[in-house]
Amino acid sequence: LSCVAFIEYLNPKLIDFFHSIPKEYDRLRLLSSEPSHAILVYTIFGILSFSLVKDKLSKILSILVFITVIYLIQSKGFFISLFLATMFTFFTYRKIWLRLKTSVIIFLMTIFSVYGLFNIAIPAILFDIENFSSFSTRLSGIISLFLILIKFPIGLGYGTYLYLYPDILNKSYTIANNFFINHFGITLSYVEIENMISTGINLGAKASIPQSIMFNGWLGVLFWAIIFYNTFKLLSNRNI
């Protein structure tokens, strides 16, 4: 994946035959359909590589390559998640403050996450608000979850959502758009949402966790709450 990343960076056309649609942006998507998918796959394999490699030189090389490719993918969600995860780790596991190795790692993660947050994520979000539909679609998708949990506690189902979700998504967009107009004087783009509602293509909450909550309602919330609790408990019992 790292080799693919550098090939794509130098000459994106060389890997276009892996994709059905040529990309029209500078961010890397590797062998995935878009950068938001690429960041998930690359992060998983990057962390596994760093964890399993024993040689110190290989560890340093893997982390340098990892940081470089992550920066070139430039996923807004990744830097926001990394910043929140770093802050959560820093304030939750206070015993690591006394350990030089882990303190240095947290310090470096904080610098990288803050840099990515303020130099990549926030400017990209502001640009997206003013020019594209992605922010509008995702924000409307998040708002739609609250409407679903109130009106449809057991979710919209795996087939009936095609009939029920368009109206909910439209109401969610209205809520988000009115908020931005009243507070910032900005009108959110309706193009992508209108296309999803009118055609049914790519209709959904635009992310895996919101999508599962849309399908299953409070059962989806409970499922992810259990996943988080068990993961947090497992990590808390480790000697970090």
Side-chain angles (χ1 to χ4, degrees), residues 148-149 152-156 212-222:
I148 291 170
L149 291 174
F152 301 95
I154 60 173
L156 303 183
S212 65
I213 295 175
M214 180 193 75
F215 289 145
N216 305 287
W218 285 102
L219 291 176
V221 175
L222 179 62

Side-chain angles (χ1 to χ4, degrees), residues 62-78:
S62 65
I63 195 65
L64 290 176
V65 173
F66 177 77
I67 291 174
T68 302
V69 175
I70 289 296
Y71 176 78
L72 294 176
I73 294 176
Q74 295 192 2
S75 169
K76 301 185 292 292
F78 171 82

Side-chain angles (χ1 to χ4, degrees), residues 144-160:
S144 72
L145 299 183
F146 295 96
L147 300 181
I148 291 170
L149 291 174
I150 294 172
K151 191 173 182 180
F152 301 95
I154 60 173
L156 303 183
Y158 288 84
T160 48

Side-chain angles (χ1 to χ4, degrees), residues 23-24 28 46 53 100 115 135 145 170 182 184 195 201:
K23 69 175 185 177
E24 299 177 353
L28 302 186
V53 169
L100 179 61
Y115 174 83
F135 176 83
L145 299 183
N170 199 43
N182 295 332
F184 306 107
N195 183 65
I201 298 175

Side-chain angles (χ1 to χ4, degrees), residues 1-2 5 19 25-26 30 61 80 84 96 100 110 147-148 160 191 201 207 210 222:
L1 285 175
S2 298
H19 303 279
Y25 44 83
D26 295 330
L30 306 183
L61 180 62
I80 294 172
L84 294 176
I96 68 174
L100 179 61
T110 302
L147 300 181
I148 291 170
T160 48
V191 175
I201 298 175
L222 179 62

